[in-house]
Amino acid sequence: MVSWKELELGCTIVEPGSSSKLKTGDWRSQRPVTDYEKCVKCGMCYIFCPDMVYKPNKMGFFQADYYYCKGCGICARECPAEAITMVEEKV
Amino acid sequence: MAKRIGIEVSLAVSEAVKLADVDVIAAYPITPQTHIVEHLSELVADGELDAEFIPVESEHSAMSTCCGSAAAGARTFTATSSQGLALMLEICYIAPALRLPIVMAVANRSLSAPISIWNDHSDLMASRDTGWIQTVAENGQEAFDLILHAFRVAEDHRVLLPVIVNMDGFTLTHVIEPIEILSQEEVARYLPPYSARMRLDTAKPVTMGPVGVPEVYTEAKKAQDEALKAARPVILEAWEEFGKHFGRYYKPVETYCTEGAETLLITMGSIGETAMSAVDAMRSQGKKVGLVRLRLWRPFPFTEFLEAVKGVKYLAVVDRALGLNGAGGPLATEIKAALYDEEERPYIWNYVAGLAGRDVTVENFVEMADGVEAAAADNLKSDYTIINVRE
Ligand code: SF4
Ligand code: SF4
């Protein structure tokens, strides 16, 4: 991590689009785990996730990118097939 | 050669801002600051000053606009007072943290309640730790000169911090004084055009004022703190240069009759002029009394202050605001902290005087100088007194 001497003037961010580098995933205390046996590929998790964590894979199943998942549980709550379970995050 | 003319100090301040050739002024009127921005809006409307005058709906918006303008790389000015400064405070913390070199004149006035439009330093003290560089004018010429100094310091790439020029409301802002108004050419020689080191530019996008997560906030504040401390030599250098250009030399701490003095009065702002008369009167009676006036308030000029009070026995510190902390005025607590590490410390009595425009007279200063000596002789524990309060 940067020292105070290396910060840009006024803590300005000089690289556009760099917010995607911010790892929101390390706030997480619970992680969503999808049971693809139950999943109906409706995409509700993808739509509701406030951090755009889910992406569809080639088979059409939605997979989470844990770099950004902050463990809020919205996806598990909204999944109509009850395919998502929140499990405790292990360090 | 510059002309000395009789002019209201507020208007002289506006003239200084005009001579600094500002690009943007965003301000809201508030007594006793109004004349400054009123005159600037006239200068812009009359085509005498080529600047954007943005009339905003509040001081909060004024400072927000100033931040945007300075971030875009424009030379930016605003002015306010009292409740207006209080409303601005949220954004006042942001300007120095983003290193935006805004210059602001504050016509010092007391804070409500009770409602008061009159002069004291409660607004100055409310803004003291916002991270702005702060100077305090003692007379009209100083108010004019300090505005030009403020732009030069603020925009120096070794500084890049906003500057407040404090001037006592009414006592200074509304009086007519003989003031030397410099010419455009003279000012241009002292104050180079502003070139922003970093600015909002669509060709090279940056984000100013992002979230500072716990991993970076501490480092960001450390960098800001170091920047404020590093401004000190530049502030002095800009005063030195001012003296070389225009013959008026300013120091962060001014001393008057301190030679051989046992007791020193400590003041800030326009009461320093009355205090000089009081010192003259006391000296003529053989009393060993001198005066120290602070012109630089932030960053606090520790070295110069300690030098100025070295070896004296008694300090009568005159605050123009009540600390409301149970321990006296903010100037006195600052000075006590400054002296803590000294082996030989003077005995200090703090006087809170001149709240909300109440006169501080020559007699009051005599009372203070005598009072600190009497308190020391009585072995009283250092404390504070409100001068002139009716029991
Ligand atoms: S837990 Fe919250 S952040 Fe994580 S994937 Fe589900 S909705 Fe998105
Ligand atoms: S909301 Fe549930 S069912 Fe729908 S895609 Fe996501 S995991 Fe599958």
Side-chain angles (χ1 to χ4, degrees), chain A residues 37-60:
Chain A
E37 295 290 323
K38 291 186 186 169
C39 173
V40 295
K41 302 182 183 174
C42 67
M44 294 294 261
C45 51
Y46 164 76
I47 290 167
F48 275 97
C49 172
D51 252 342
M52 299 292 287
V53 162
Y54 287 101
K55 292 273 177 318
N57 65 13
K58 279 188 192 126
M59 321 242 297

mmCIF file with all atom_site columns, all heavy atoms in Angstrom, chain A residues 37-60:
data_model
loop_
_atom_site.group_PDB
_atom_site.id
_atom_site.type_symbol
_atom_site.label_atom_id
_atom_site.label_alt_id
_atom_site.label_comp_id
_atom_site.label_asym_id
_atom_site.label_entity_id
_atom_site.label_seq_id
_atom_site.pdbx_PDB_ins_code
_atom_site.Cartn_x
_atom_site.Cartn_y
_atom_site.Cartn_z
_atom_site.occupancy
_atom_site.B_iso_or_equiv
_atom_site.pdbx_formal_charge
_atom_site.auth_seq_id
_atom_site.auth_comp_id
_atom_site.auth_asym_id
_atom_site.auth_atom_id
_atom_site.pdbx_PDB_model_num
ATOM 1   N N   . GLU A 1 37 ? -28.211 -27.267 -9.219  1.00 0.00 ? 37 GLU A N   1
ATOM 2   C CA  . GLU A 1 37 ? -29.273 -28.258 -9.392  1.00 0.00 ? 37 GLU A CA  1
ATOM 3   C C   . GLU A 1 37 ? -30.638 -27.569 -9.327  1.00 0.00 ? 37 GLU A C   1
ATOM 4   O O   . GLU A 1 37 ? -31.572 -27.939 -10.006 1.00 0.00 ? 37 GLU A O   1
ATOM 5   C CB  . GLU A 1 37 ? -29.203 -29.321 -8.271  1.00 0.00 ? 37 GLU A CB  1
ATOM 6   C CG  . GLU A 1 37 ? -27.944 -30.173 -8.295  1.00 0.00 ? 37 GLU A CG  1
ATOM 7   C CD  . GLU A 1 37 ? -27.938 -31.130 -9.494  1.00 0.00 ? 37 GLU A CD  1
ATOM 8   O OE1 . GLU A 1 37 ? -29.010 -31.644 -9.835  1.00 0.00 ? 37 GLU A OE1 1
ATOM 9   O OE2 . GLU A 1 37 ? -26.853 -31.302 -10.098 1.00 0.00 ? 37 GLU A OE2 1
ATOM 10  N N   . LYS A 1 38 ? -30.699 -26.524 -8.469  1.00 0.00 ? 38 LYS A N   1
ATOM 11  C CA  . LYS A 1 38 ? -31.970 -25.815 -8.275  1.00 0.00 ? 38 LYS A CA  1
ATOM 12  C C   . LYS A 1 38 ? -32.132 -24.619 -9.218  1.00 0.00 ? 38 LYS A C   1
ATOM 13  O O   . LYS A 1 38 ? -33.234 -24.180 -9.502  1.00 0.00 ? 38 LYS A O   1
ATOM 14  C CB  . LYS A 1 38 ? -32.068 -25.288 -6.836  1.00 0.00 ? 38 LYS A CB  1
ATOM 15  C CG  . LYS A 1 38 ? -32.226 -26.354 -5.773  1.00 0.00 ? 38 LYS A CG  1
ATOM 16  C CD  . LYS A 1 38 ? -32.451 -25.668 -4.437  1.00 0.00 ? 38 LYS A CD  1
ATOM 17  C CE  . LYS A 1 38 ? -32.469 -26.658 -3.293  1.00 0.00 ? 38 LYS A CE  1
ATOM 18  N NZ  . LYS A 1 38 ? -32.424 -25.978 -2.004  1.00 0.00 ? 38 LYS A NZ  1
ATOM 19  N N   . CYS A 1 39 ? -31.026 -24.051 -9.677  1.00 0.00 ? 39 CYS A N   1
ATOM 20  C CA  . CYS A 1 39 ? -31.048 -22.813 -10.470 1.00 0.00 ? 39 CYS A CA  1
ATOM 21  C C   . CYS A 1 39 ? -31.834 -22.971 -11.762 1.00 0.00 ? 39 CYS A C   1
ATOM 22  O O   . CYS A 1 39 ? -31.684 -23.958 -12.482 1.00 0.00 ? 39 CYS A O   1
ATOM 23  C CB  . CYS A 1 39 ? -29.615 -22.413 -10.787 1.00 0.00 ? 39 CYS A CB  1
ATOM 24  S SG  . CYS A 1 39 ? -29.504 -21.031 -11.918 1.00 0.00 ? 39 CYS A SG  1
ATOM 25  N N   . VAL A 1 40 ? -32.688 -21.975 -12.048 1.00 0.00 ? 40 VAL A N   1
ATOM 26  C CA  . VAL A 1 40 ? -33.492 -22.010 -13.271 1.00 0.00 ? 40 VAL A CA  1
ATOM 27  C C   . VAL A 1 40 ? -33.009 -20.977 -14.298 1.00 0.00 ? 40 VAL A C   1
ATOM 28  O O   . VAL A 1 40 ? -33.722 -20.655 -15.244 1.00 0.00 ? 40 VAL A O   1
ATOM 29  C CB  . VAL A 1 40 ? -34.997 -21.810 -12.955 1.00 0.00 ? 40 VAL A CB  1
ATOM 30  C CG1 . VAL A 1 40 ? -35.542 -22.973 -12.126 1.00 0.00 ? 40 VAL A CG1 1
ATOM 31  C CG2 . VAL A 1 40 ? -35.231 -20.471 -12.244 1.00 0.00 ? 40 VAL A CG2 1
ATOM 32  N N   . LYS A 1 41 ? -31.804 -20.413 -14.052 1.00 0.00 ? 41 LYS A N   1
ATOM 33  C CA  . LYS A 1 41 ? -31.168 -19.461 -14.987 1.00 0.00 ? 41 LYS A CA  1
ATOM 34  C C   . LYS A 1 41 ? -32.024 -18.213 -15.257 1.00 0.00 ? 41 LYS A C   1
ATOM 35  O O   . LYS A 1 41 ? -32.022 -17.666 -16.358 1.00 0.00 ? 41 LYS A O   1
ATOM 36  C CB  . LYS A 1 41 ? -30.858 -20.145 -16.336 1.00 0.00 ? 41 LYS A CB  1
ATOM 37  C CG  . LYS A 1 41 ? -29.964 -21.358 -16.253 1.00 0.00 ? 41 LYS A CG  1
ATOM 38  C CD  . LYS A 1 41 ? -29.699 -21.883 -17.659 1.00 0.00 ? 41 LYS A CD  1
ATOM 39  C CE  . LYS A 1 41 ? -28.873 -23.143 -17.631 1.00 0.00 ? 41 LYS A CE  1
ATOM 40  N NZ  . LYS A 1 41 ? -28.726 -23.737 -18.983 1.00 0.00 ? 41 LYS A NZ  1
ATOM 41  N N   . CYS A 1 42 ? -32.785 -17.785 -14.262 1.00 0.00 ? 42 CYS A N   1
ATOM 42  C CA  . CYS A 1 42 ? -33.669 -16.630 -14.485 1.00 0.00 ? 42 CYS A CA  1
ATOM 43  C C   . CYS A 1 42 ? -32.910 -15.300 -14.493 1.00 0.00 ? 42 CYS A C   1
ATOM 44  O O   . CYS A 1 42 ? -33.392 -14.301 -15.021 1.00 0.00 ? 42 CYS A O   1
ATOM 45  C CB  . CYS A 1 42 ? -34.769 -16.590 -13.424 1.00 0.00 ? 42 CYS A CB  1
ATOM 46  S SG  . CYS A 1 42 ? -34.115 -16.241 -11.772 1.00 0.00 ? 42 CYS A SG  1
ATOM 47  N N   . GLY A 1 43 ? -31.705 -15.244 -13.856 1.00 0.00 ? 43 GLY A N   1
ATOM 48  C CA  . GLY A 1 43 ? -30.897 -14.016 -13.862 1.00 0.00 ? 43 GLY A CA  1
ATOM 49  C C   . GLY A 1 43 ? -31.296 -12.986 -12.817 1.00 0.00 ? 43 GLY A C   1
ATOM 50  O O   . GLY A 1 43 ? -30.802 -11.857 -12.846 1.00 0.00 ? 43 GLY A O   1
ATOM 51  N N   . MET A 1 44 ? -32.205 -13.365 -11.903 1.00 0.00 ? 44 MET A N   1
ATOM 52  C CA  . MET A 1 44 ? -32.604 -12.399 -10.876 1.00 0.00 ? 44 MET A CA  1
ATOM 53  C C   . MET A 1 44 ? -31.411 -12.004 -9.990  1.00 0.00 ? 44 MET A C   1
ATOM 54  O O   . MET A 1 44 ? -31.266 -10.847 -9.600  1.00 0.00 ? 44 MET A O   1
ATOM 55  C CB  . MET A 1 44 ? -33.730 -12.970 -10.002 1.00 0.00 ? 44 MET A CB  1
ATOM 56  C CG  . MET A 1 44 ? -35.019 -13.185 -10.750 1.00 0.00 ? 44 MET A CG  1
ATOM 57  S SD  . MET A 1 44 ? -35.728 -11.612 -11.283 1.00 0.00 ? 44 MET A SD  1
ATOM 58  C CE  . MET A 1 44 ? -36.931 -11.381 -10.000 1.00 0.00 ? 44 MET A CE  1
ATOM 59  N N   . CYS A 1 45 ? -30.541 -12.955 -9.692  1.00 0.00 ? 45 CYS A N   1
ATOM 60  C CA  . CYS A 1 45 ? -29.353 -12.655 -8.880  1.00 0.00 ? 45 CYS A CA  1
ATOM 61  C C   . CYS A 1 45 ? -28.482 -11.628 -9.600  1.00 0.00 ? 45 CYS A C   1
ATOM 62  O O   . CYS A 1 45 ? -27.980 -10.680 -9.006  1.00 0.00 ? 45 CYS A O   1
ATOM 63  C CB  . CYS A 1 45 ? -28.562 -13.928 -8.580  1.00 0.00 ? 45 CYS A CB  1
ATOM 64  S SG  . CYS A 1 45 ? -28.189 -14.904 -10.041 1.00 0.00 ? 45 CYS A SG  1
ATOM 65  N N   . TYR A 1 46 ? -28.349 -11.798 -10.876 1.00 0.00 ? 46 TYR A N   1
ATOM 66  C CA  . TYR A 1 46 ? -27.555 -10.899 -11.726 1.00 0.00 ? 46 TYR A CA  1
ATOM 67  C C   . TYR A 1 46 ? -28.152 -9.482  -11.720 1.00 0.00 ? 46 TYR A C   1
ATOM 68  O O   . TYR A 1 46 ? -27.437 -8.486  -11.633 1.00 0.00 ? 46 TYR A O   1
ATOM 69  C CB  . TYR A 1 46 ? -27.532 -11.495 -13.132 1.00 0.00 ? 46 TYR A CB  1
ATOM 70  C CG  . TYR A 1 46 ? -27.101 -10.588 -14.240 1.00 0.00 ? 46 TYR A CG  1
ATOM 71  C CD1 . TYR A 1 46 ? -25.763 -10.271 -14.437 1.00 0.00 ? 46 TYR A CD1 1
ATOM 72  C CD2 . TYR A 1 46 ? -28.045 -10.077 -15.144 1.00 0.00 ? 46 TYR A CD2 1
ATOM 73  C CE1 . TYR A 1 46 ? -25.371 -9.449  -15.484 1.00 0.00 ? 46 TYR A CE1 1
ATOM 74  C CE2 . TYR A 1 46 ? -27.668 -9.262  -16.183 1.00 0.00 ? 46 TYR A CE2 1
ATOM 75  C CZ  . TYR A 1 46 ? -26.337 -8.940  -16.359 1.00 0.00 ? 46 TYR A CZ  1
ATOM 76  O OH  . TYR A 1 46 ? -25.950 -8.126  -17.388 1.00 0.00 ? 46 TYR A OH  1
ATOM 77  N N   . ILE A 1 47 ? -29.508 -9.432  -11.789 1.00 0.00 ? 47 ILE A N   1
ATOM 78  C CA  . ILE A 1 47 ? -30.175 -8.133  -11.844 1.00 0.00 ? 47 ILE A CA  1
ATOM 79  C C   . ILE A 1 47 ? -30.106 -7.421  -10.492 1.00 0.00 ? 47 ILE A C   1
ATOM 80  O O   . ILE A 1 47 ? -29.832 -6.220  -10.416 1.00 0.00 ? 47 ILE A O   1
ATOM 81  C CB  . ILE A 1 47 ? -31.652 -8.313  -12.287 1.00 0.00 ? 47 ILE A CB  1
ATOM 82  C CG1 . ILE A 1 47 ? -31.687 -8.735  -13.760 1.00 0.00 ? 47 ILE A CG1 1
ATOM 83  C CG2 . ILE A 1 47 ? -32.463 -7.034  -12.068 1.00 0.00 ? 47 ILE A CG2 1
ATOM 84  C CD1 . ILE A 1 47 ? -33.042 -9.238  -14.232 1.00 0.00 ? 47 ILE A CD1 1
ATOM 85  N N   . PHE A 1 48 ? -30.330 -8.192  -9.418  1.00 0.00 ? 48 PHE A N   1
ATOM 86  C CA  . PHE A 1 48 ? -30.442 -7.547  -8.104  1.00 0.00 ? 48 PHE A CA  1
ATOM 87  C C   . PHE A 1 48 ? -29.106 -7.246  -7.430  1.00 0.00 ? 48 PHE A C   1
ATOM 88  O O   . PHE A 1 48 ? -29.034 -6.364  -6.579  1.00 0.00 ? 48 PHE A O   1
ATOM 89  C CB  . PHE A 1 48 ? -31.312 -8.401  -7.165  1.00 0.00 ? 48 PHE A CB  1
ATOM 90  C CG  . PHE A 1 48 ? -32.785 -8.115  -7.340  1.00 0.00 ? 48 PHE A CG  1
ATOM 91  C CD1 . PHE A 1 48 ? -33.583 -8.915  -8.143  1.00 0.00 ? 48 PHE A CD1 1
ATOM 92  C CD2 . PHE A 1 48 ? -33.366 -7.023  -6.701  1.00 0.00 ? 48 PHE A CD2 1
ATOM 93  C CE1 . PHE A 1 48 ? -34.927 -8.638  -8.316  1.00 0.00 ? 48 PHE A CE1 1
ATOM 94  C CE2 . PHE A 1 48 ? -34.718 -6.747  -6.865  1.00 0.00 ? 48 PHE A CE2 1
ATOM 95  C CZ  . PHE A 1 48 ? -35.510 -7.546  -7.681  1.00 0.00 ? 48 PHE A CZ  1
ATOM 96  N N   . CYS A 1 49 ? -28.080 -7.997  -7.776  1.00 0.00 ? 49 CYS A N   1
ATOM 97  C CA  . CYS A 1 49 ? -26.805 -7.762  -7.083  1.00 0.00 ? 49 CYS A CA  1
ATOM 98  C C   . CYS A 1 49 ? -26.346 -6.320  -7.274  1.00 0.00 ? 49 CYS A C   1
ATOM 99  O O   . CYS A 1 49 ? -26.143 -5.858  -8.394  1.00 0.00 ? 49 CYS A O   1
ATOM 100 C CB  . CYS A 1 49 ? -25.716 -8.695  -7.620  1.00 0.00 ? 49 CYS A CB  1
ATOM 101 S SG  . CYS A 1 49 ? -24.099 -8.249  -6.938  1.00 0.00 ? 49 CYS A SG  1
ATOM 102 N N   . PRO A 1 50 ? -26.177 -5.550  -6.172  1.00 0.00 ? 50 PRO A N   1
ATOM 103 C CA  . PRO A 1 50 ? -25.788 -4.139  -6.312  1.00 0.00 ? 50 PRO A CA  1
ATOM 104 C C   . PRO A 1 50 ? -24.345 -3.957  -6.777  1.00 0.00 ? 50 PRO A C   1
ATOM 105 O O   . PRO A 1 50 ? -23.952 -2.849  -7.133  1.00 0.00 ? 50 PRO A O   1
ATOM 106 C CB  . PRO A 1 50 ? -25.994 -3.572  -4.902  1.00 0.00 ? 50 PRO A CB  1
ATOM 107 C CG  . PRO A 1 50 ? -25.987 -4.743  -3.992  1.00 0.00 ? 50 PRO A CG  1
ATOM 108 C CD  . PRO A 1 50 ? -26.389 -5.954  -4.775  1.00 0.00 ? 50 PRO A CD  1
ATOM 109 N N   . ASP A 1 51 ? -23.553 -5.020  -6.760  1.00 0.00 ? 51 ASP A N   1
ATOM 110 C CA  . ASP A 1 51 ? -22.146 -4.888  -7.154  1.00 0.00 ? 51 ASP A CA  1
ATOM 111 C C   . ASP A 1 51 ? -21.812 -5.570  -8.477  1.00 0.00 ? 51 ASP A C   1
ATOM 112 O O   . ASP A 1 51 ? -20.639 -5.734  -8.794  1.00 0.00 ? 51 ASP A O   1
ATOM 113 C CB  . ASP A 1 51 ? -21.238 -5.449  -6.040  1.00 0.00 ? 51 ASP A CB  1
ATOM 114 C CG  . ASP A 1 51 ? -20.524 -4.310  -5.315  1.00 0.00 ? 51 ASP A CG  1
ATOM 115 O OD1 . ASP A 1 51 ? -20.478 -3.212  -5.888  1.00 0.00 ? 51 ASP A OD1 1
ATOM 116 O OD2 . ASP A 1 51 ? -20.019 -4.531  -4.201  1.00 0.00 ? 51 ASP A OD2 1
ATOM 117 N N   . MET A 1 52 ? -22.836 -5.950  -9.246  1.00 0.00 ? 52 MET A N   1
ATOM 118 C CA  . MET A 1 52 ? -22.620 -6.578  -10.564 1.00 0.00 ? 52 MET A CA  1
ATOM 119 C C   . MET A 1 52 ? -21.683 -7.788  -10.466 1.00 0.00 ? 52 MET A C   1
ATOM 120 O O   . MET A 1 52 ? -20.777 -7.965  -11.272 1.00 0.00 ? 52 MET A O   1
ATOM 121 C CB  . MET A 1 52 ? -22.033 -5.569  -11.564 1.00 0.00 ? 52 MET A CB  1
ATOM 122 C CG  . MET A 1 52 ? -22.908 -4.367  -11.831 1.00 0.00 ? 52 MET A CG  1
ATOM 123 S SD  . MET A 1 52 ? -24.402 -4.786  -12.722 1.00 0.00 ? 52 MET A SD  1
ATOM 124 C CE  . MET A 1 52 ? -23.775 -5.107  -14.350 1.00 0.00 ? 52 MET A CE  1
ATOM 125 N N   . VAL A 1 53 ? -21.917 -8.600  -9.464  1.00 0.00 ? 53 VAL A N   1
ATOM 126 C CA  . VAL A 1 53 ? -21.013 -9.714  -9.182  1.00 0.00 ? 53 VAL A CA  1
ATOM 127 C C   . VAL A 1 53 ? -21.239 -10.902 -10.125 1.00 0.00 ? 53 VAL A C   1
ATOM 128 O O   . VAL A 1 53 ? -20.307 -11.607 -10.506 1.00 0.00 ? 53 VAL A O   1
ATOM 129 C CB  . VAL A 1 53 ? -21.170 -10.133 -7.702  1.00 0.00 ? 53 VAL A CB  1
ATOM 130 C CG1 . VAL A 1 53 ? -20.605 -11.531 -7.445  1.00 0.00 ? 53 VAL A CG1 1
ATOM 131 C CG2 . VAL A 1 53 ? -20.498 -9.099  -6.795  1.00 0.00 ? 53 VAL A CG2 1
ATOM 132 N N   . TYR A 1 54 ? -22.488 -11.104 -10.520 1.00 0.00 ? 54 TYR A N   1
ATOM 133 C CA  . TYR A 1 54 ? -22.804 -12.301 -11.323 1.00 0.00 ? 54 TYR A CA  1
ATOM 134 C C   . TYR A 1 54 ? -22.600 -12.062 -12.809 1.00 0.00 ? 54 TYR A C   1
ATOM 135 O O   . TYR A 1 54 ? -22.913 -10.996 -13.337 1.00 0.00 ? 54 TYR A O   1
ATOM 136 C CB  . TYR A 1 54 ? -24.263 -12.726 -11.081 1.00 0.00 ? 54 TYR A CB  1
ATOM 137 C CG  . TYR A 1 54 ? -24.470 -13.358 -9.717  1.00 0.00 ? 54 TYR A CG  1
ATOM 138 C CD1 . TYR A 1 54 ? -25.013 -12.613 -8.668  1.00 0.00 ? 54 TYR A CD1 1
ATOM 139 C CD2 . TYR A 1 54 ? -24.111 -14.693 -9.489  1.00 0.00 ? 54 TYR A CD2 1
ATOM 140 C CE1 . TYR A 1 54 ? -25.195 -13.175 -7.420  1.00 0.00 ? 54 TYR A CE1 1
ATOM 141 C CE2 . TYR A 1 54 ? -24.286 -15.253 -8.229  1.00 0.00 ? 54 TYR A CE2 1
ATOM 142 C CZ  . TYR A 1 54 ? -24.824 -14.494 -7.207  1.00 0.00 ? 54 TYR A CZ  1
ATOM 143 O OH  . TYR A 1 54 ? -24.991 -15.058 -5.972  1.00 0.00 ? 54 TYR A OH  1
ATOM 144 N N   . LYS A 1 55 ? -22.069 -13.095 -13.443 1.00 0.00 ? 55 LYS A N   1
ATOM 145 C CA  . LYS A 1 55 ? -21.947 -13.090 -14.913 1.00 0.00 ? 55 LYS A CA  1
ATOM 146 C C   . LYS A 1 55 ? -22.420 -14.465 -15.401 1.00 0.00 ? 55 LYS A C   1
ATOM 147 O O   . LYS A 1 55 ? -22.124 -15.473 -14.747 1.00 0.00 ? 55 LYS A O   1
ATOM 148 C CB  . LYS A 1 55 ? -20.471 -12.935 -15.329 1.00 0.00 ? 55 LYS A CB  1
ATOM 149 C CG  . LYS A 1 55 ? -19.848 -11.581 -15.002 1.00 0.00 ? 55 LYS A CG  1
ATOM 150 C CD  . LYS A 1 55 ? -20.092 -10.585 -16.125 1.00 0.00 ? 55 LYS A CD  1
ATOM 151 C CE  . LYS A 1 55 ? -19.553 -9.203  -15.823 1.00 0.00 ? 55 LYS A CE  1
ATOM 152 N NZ  . LYS A 1 55 ? -19.742 -8.665  -14.489 1.00 0.00 ? 55 LYS A NZ  1
ATOM 153 N N   . PRO A 1 56 ? -23.127 -14.511 -16.522 1.00 0.00 ? 56 PRO A N   1
ATOM 154 C CA  . PRO A 1 56 ? -23.544 -15.830 -17.030 1.00 0.00 ? 56 PRO A CA  1
ATOM 155 C C   . PRO A 1 56 ? -22.349 -16.566 -17.656 1.00 0.00 ? 56 PRO A C   1
ATOM 156 O O   . PRO A 1 56 ? -21.527 -15.932 -18.319 1.00 0.00 ? 56 PRO A O   1
ATOM 157 C CB  . PRO A 1 56 ? -24.594 -15.486 -18.089 1.00 0.00 ? 56 PRO A CB  1
ATOM 158 C CG  . PRO A 1 56 ? -24.303 -14.078 -18.491 1.00 0.00 ? 56 PRO A CG  1
ATOM 159 C CD  . PRO A 1 56 ? -23.613 -13.407 -17.371 1.00 0.00 ? 56 PRO A CD  1
ATOM 160 N N   . ASN A 1 57 ? -22.242 -17.870 -17.426 1.00 0.00 ? 57 ASN A N   1
ATOM 161 C CA  . ASN A 1 57 ? -21.197 -18.629 -18.110 1.00 0.00 ? 57 ASN A CA  1
ATOM 162 C C   . ASN A 1 57 ? -21.767 -19.195 -19.413 1.00 0.00 ? 57 ASN A C   1
ATOM 163 O O   . ASN A 1 57 ? -22.917 -18.889 -19.778 1.00 0.00 ? 57 ASN A O   1
ATOM 164 C CB  . ASN A 1 57 ? -20.599 -19.698 -17.184 1.00 0.00 ? 57 ASN A CB  1
ATOM 165 C CG  . ASN A 1 57 ? -21.622 -20.767 -16.809 1.00 0.00 ? 57 ASN A CG  1
ATOM 166 O OD1 . ASN A 1 57 ? -22.702 -20.855 -17.413 1.00 0.00 ? 57 ASN A OD1 1
ATOM 167 N ND2 . ASN A 1 57 ? -21.292 -21.578 -15.807 1.00 0.00 ? 57 ASN A ND2 1
ATOM 168 N N   . LYS A 1 58 ? -20.964 -20.006 -20.112 1.00 0.00 ? 58 LYS A N   1
ATOM 169 C CA  . LYS A 1 58 ? -21.376 -20.498 -21.437 1.00 0.00 ? 58 LYS A CA  1
ATOM 170 C C   . LYS A 1 58 ? -22.665 -21.291 -21.374 1.00 0.00 ? 58 LYS A C   1
ATOM 171 O O   . LYS A 1 58 ? -23.466 -21.312 -22.315 1.00 0.00 ? 58 LYS A O   1
ATOM 172 C CB  . LYS A 1 58 ? -20.268 -21.384 -22.027 1.00 0.00 ? 58 LYS A CB  1
ATOM 173 C CG  . LYS A 1 58 ? -19.160 -20.566 -22.645 1.00 0.00 ? 58 LYS A CG  1
ATOM 174 C CD  . LYS A 1 58 ? -18.184 -21.467 -23.395 1.00 0.00 ? 58 LYS A CD  1
ATOM 175 C CE  . LYS A 1 58 ? -16.932 -20.712 -23.764 1.00 0.00 ? 58 LYS A CE  1
ATOM 176 N NZ  . LYS A 1 58 ? -15.701 -21.364 -23.310 1.00 0.00 ? 58 LYS A NZ  1
ATOM 177 N N   . MET A 1 59 ? -22.882 -21.948 -20.215 1.00 0.00 ? 59 MET A N   1
ATOM 178 C CA  . MET A 1 59 ? -24.077 -22.790 -20.085 1.00 0.00 ? 59 MET A CA  1
ATOM 179 C C   . MET A 1 59 ? -25.310 -21.980 -19.672 1.00 0.00 ? 59 MET A C   1
ATOM 180 O O   . MET A 1 59 ? -26.399 -22.515 -19.549 1.00 0.00 ? 59 MET A O   1
ATOM 181 C CB  . MET A 1 59 ? -23.845 -23.859 -19.003 1.00 0.00 ? 59 MET A CB  1
ATOM 182 C CG  . MET A 1 59 ? -22.444 -24.420 -19.029 1.00 0.00 ? 59 MET A CG  1
ATOM 183 S SD  . MET A 1 59 ? -22.424 -26.144 -19.369 1.00 0.00 ? 59 MET A SD  1
ATOM 184 C CE  . MET A 1 59 ? -23.309 -26.792 -17.966 1.00 0.00 ? 59 MET A CE  1
ATOM 185 N N   . GLY A 1 60 ? -25.087 -20.681 -19.413 1.00 0.00 ? 60 GLY A N   1
ATOM 186 C CA  . GLY A 1 60 ? -26.231 -19.851 -19.018 1.00 0.00 ? 60 GLY A CA  1
ATOM 187 C C   . GLY A 1 60 ? -26.439 -19.776 -17.521 1.00 0.00 ? 60 GLY A C   1
ATOM 188 O O   . GLY A 1 60 ? -27.400 -19.145 -17.052 1.00 0.00 ? 60 GLY A O   1
#
